[in-house]
Amino acid sequence: MSQNIDRRDVLKGAGAAGIAGLAGCVGGESGGDAEYPAIGNYPVEGDEVVLGFNVPQSGPYASEGNDELKAYNLAVEHLNNGGGWVDMWDDLSAGGILDKTVISVEGDTATTPATAEESATQMIRNDGAIMITGGVSSSVAISQQKLCQQERVQFMSCLTHSNATQGADCVRYGQREMHNAFMTGKALAPILVEEFGEDLNFYSMYADYTWGTSNRNSMKRFLEDEGWTQTDEAPTPLGESDFSPYMQDVPREETDVLLLIHFGADAANSIPAAFDAGLDEDMEIVVPLYDTIAANSASDDIGGVYGTVDWNWQLGEEDEFAQAFVDAYREAEGGVPSYAARLAYSATMRYAAAVERAETFYPPEVIKQLEGHEYDNTGIGEAVSRGCDHQSQRDVFVVQGREPSEQEDGALLSLVGTTDKETAGYACDAGPAANCELGDYGEDS
């Protein structure tokens, strides 16, 4: 698995620019690209390259963070020694990245932006990380990518679903493969109308931070476009453990559909609370963004509940790359992966492949290899990492929870529809992309 650096073994007190400047005095990285100037933690000296994995190891999204770490470590193992997608992608081969052994450092974001930024800063300035990846909370991802833009270090988003990540808060040094709330609304709203009927009333209960408000706004927009009406809404604090008071406030006689816009431990608590309050007897319940781990925790109460997912391990039956990841993860961990794990594995592999195509770790050249890159090898079908906003345009998967009696071998969700990327997507001057200004590459730094 990954070889973690002990920070005591790294030079203390040198900032990112100081490390890069020192390395630049020695000469260019192996492979011969000394024509590029020092920037961030480039050039990479020696026989190793450091990747930073910054995930929630504590807080309401800790379970997802733990799954991400497992997949990140699996990616490092494959990059160094072969296996998984390394054996399948033309851009990759065993032996590390550009013949440098990949090692990693790990951090705990604690699901708070300030903690995440502090941890990422340590990885960049003390450990010399050339790339940072991780996150579950969108506010955490946004905080990290802003830091990485300043430090000229690549940030590969993992699990972040807010429109702002690659919208108003986009940066040149940030990339996201996961679909966003806007795409969830476009994909899910028509299916809900087809399933439940026209001219219905809905009530939104949402996590009170950037991800929750982003999803509330997107679902409201697209459901109202379909002719539905929102009766009311209720924000809930991140990390809430008792949702029963909120359920008592839902107007039963006026509400046809309850949207539970929660994730992780919040969703694991709010879904059973809605059923315990008997709301399922008076209205339909929808979870716009399903979380496999939360679905497992609330498995007795998800039967018939609609939502979207980034990916589901059962897609391996139709996609060779999805199946290869599922098989490798099962062999390493003894269970099936969540989509948080797939996102982590994919982020690492996509970065490594971009470096190999660029033939350098020089960040601006790596970014240019990611911009506009078309691919179909990460288990989600055909996708393109757009140059205008660094948002992958990809299919969106709509699922429905299985009844407890139908849940077998970890199969909790059934795929009920796939909204293709052309339908779920949007132009560079529309949707979240209309508010995106990426910033510069920093080539003149």
Side-chain angles (χ1 to χ4, degrees):
M1 288 302 178
S2 64
Q3 180 180 347
N4 295 319
I5 294 177
D6 186 335
R7 291 191 173 98
R8 293 172 298 181
D9 296 333
V10 183
L11 287 175
K12 302 295 183 179
I19 293 173
L22 178 62
C25 292
V26 178
E29 62 187 310
S30 60
D33 61 321
E35 71 271 19
Y36 294 117
I39 181 174
N41 282 330
Y42 172 87
V44 178
E45 292 296 332
D47 298 328
E48 299 174 335
V49 62
V50 182
L51 305 184
F53 303 146
N54 207 22
V55 306
Q57 299 185 53
S58 59
Y61 296 156
S63 294
E64 289 76 13
N66 182 59
D67 241 28
E68 289 176 3
L69 275 184
K70 291 176 181 178
Y72 282 133
N73 289 331
L74 183 63
V76 171
E77 170 70 20
H78 288 168
L79 287 170
N80 287 333
N81 301 307
W85 294 350
V86 171
D87 295 345
M88 303 173 74
W89 289 19
D90 292 339
D91 296 331
L92 299 176
S93 59
I97 306 175
L98 291 185
D99 298 322
K100 292 181 183 290
T101 300
V102 180
I103 59 177
S104 67
V105 289
E106 299 174 358
D108 180 10
T109 69
T111 321
T112 61
T115 304
E117 187 171 338
E118 180 181 358
S119 178
T121 299
Q122 291 294 314
M123 292 176 175
I124 294 169
R125 296 184 179 178
N126 289 359
D127 301 325
I130 195 69
M131 184 270 278
I132 304 293
T133 179
V136 174
S137 158
S138 289
S139 59
V140 164
I142 290 168
S143 176
Q144 289 188 85
Q145 72 175 15
K146 286 182 177 179
L147 170 70
C148 286
Q149 177 73 25
Q150 296 168 5
E151 298 286 343
R152 307 306 189 192
V153 170
Q154 181 64 38
F155 181 72
M156 301 294 291
S157 289
C158 187
L159 202 165
T160 170
H161 187 242
S162 171
N163 292 331
T165 309
Q166 299 310 133
D169 291 315
C170 71
V171 298
R172 182 70 62 182
Y173 277 70
Q175 284 275 340
R176 172 168 62 182
E177 181 174 65
M178 186 179 186
H179 70 293
N180 58 30
F182 191 89
M183 297 163 77
T184 280
K186 287 191 74 175
L188 187 56
I191 290 177
L192 296 180
V193 173
E194 180 179 354
E195 180 65 23
F196 300 143
E198 299 179 351
D199 302 321
L200 300 185
N201 295 328
F202 65 96
Y203 183 98
S204 298
M205 191 179 299
Y206 64 95
D208 191 14
Y209 77 107
T210 183
W211 171 77
T213 56
S214 188
N215 276 266
R216 174 204 62 187
N217 294 342
S218 294
M219 290 302 300
K220 184 174 185 292
R221 169 179 173 170
F222 290 107
L223 286 173
E224 288 182 344
D225 285 350
E226 295 284 346
W228 286 19
T229 302
Q230 179 172 281
T231 58
D232 206 349
E233 59 185 36
T236 61
L238 181 63
E240 179 62 65
S241 59
D242 183 10
F243 285 90
S244 56
Y246 297 96
M247 301 304 167
Q248 297 302 319
D249 292 337
V250 178
R252 292 174 183 257
E253 295 183 0
E254 303 172 25
T255 305
D256 300 306
V257 177
L258 170 63
L259 303 182
L260 292 180
I261 305 173
H262 297 128
F263 196 81
D266 282 9
N269 289 323
S270 71
I271 297 171
F275 279 78
D276 289 345
L279 295 181
D280 60 304
E281 300 173 7
D282 299 318
M283 63 196 70
E284 303 292 344
I285 296 174
V286 174
V287 179
L289 181 65
Y290 251 117
D291 169 18
T292 306
I293 295 173
N296 185 66
S297 299
S299 58
D300 290 342
D301 299 313
I302 62 173
V305 176
Y306 280 88
T308 66
V309 293
D310 165 80
W311 174 83
N312 186 278
W313 67 269
Q314 293 159 258
L315 291 169
E317 300 171 0
E318 305 172 5
D319 187 294
E320 62 175 326
F321 298 99
Q323 191 60 56
F325 172 59
V326 171
D327 290 345
Y329 188 94
R330 267 181 161 157
E331 182 178 354
E333 302 296 338
V336 297
S338 67
Y339 68 71
R342 188 207 70 83
L343 283 163
Y345 187 82
S346 179
T348 312
M349 293 299 178
R350 289 179 59 228
Y351 172 76
V355 172
E356 293 286 354
R357 292 194 302 272
E359 300 182 339
T360 177
F361 287 101
Y362 183 59
E365 291 301 315
V366 176
I367 292 170
K368 291 170 186 176
Q369 286 296 326
L370 289 164
E371 291 176 332
H373 182 65
E374 297 180 6
Y375 60 100
D376 62 358
N377 54 5
T378 65
I380 59 172
E382 294 182 354
V384 57
S385 178
R386 290 203 304 201
C388 65
D389 60 354
H390 293 187
Q391 169 66 55
S392 285
Q393 298 293 290
R394 37 75 58 87
D395 295 348
V396 176
F397 305 110
V398 178
V399 297
Q400 188 178 31
R402 293 186 176 189
E403 297 292 342
S405 61
E406 299 174 351
Q407 297 172 7
E408 299 178 324
D409 300 325
L412 305 177
L413 307 172
S414 295
L415 182 67
V416 298
T418 300
T419 302
D420 63 73
K421 64 181 183 299
E422 289 76 21
T423 302
Y426 48 93
C428 285
D429 60 355
N435 299 314
C436 173
E437 295 183 8
L438 288 169
D440 63 275
Y441 293 93
E443 292 174 289
D444 296 327
S445 297

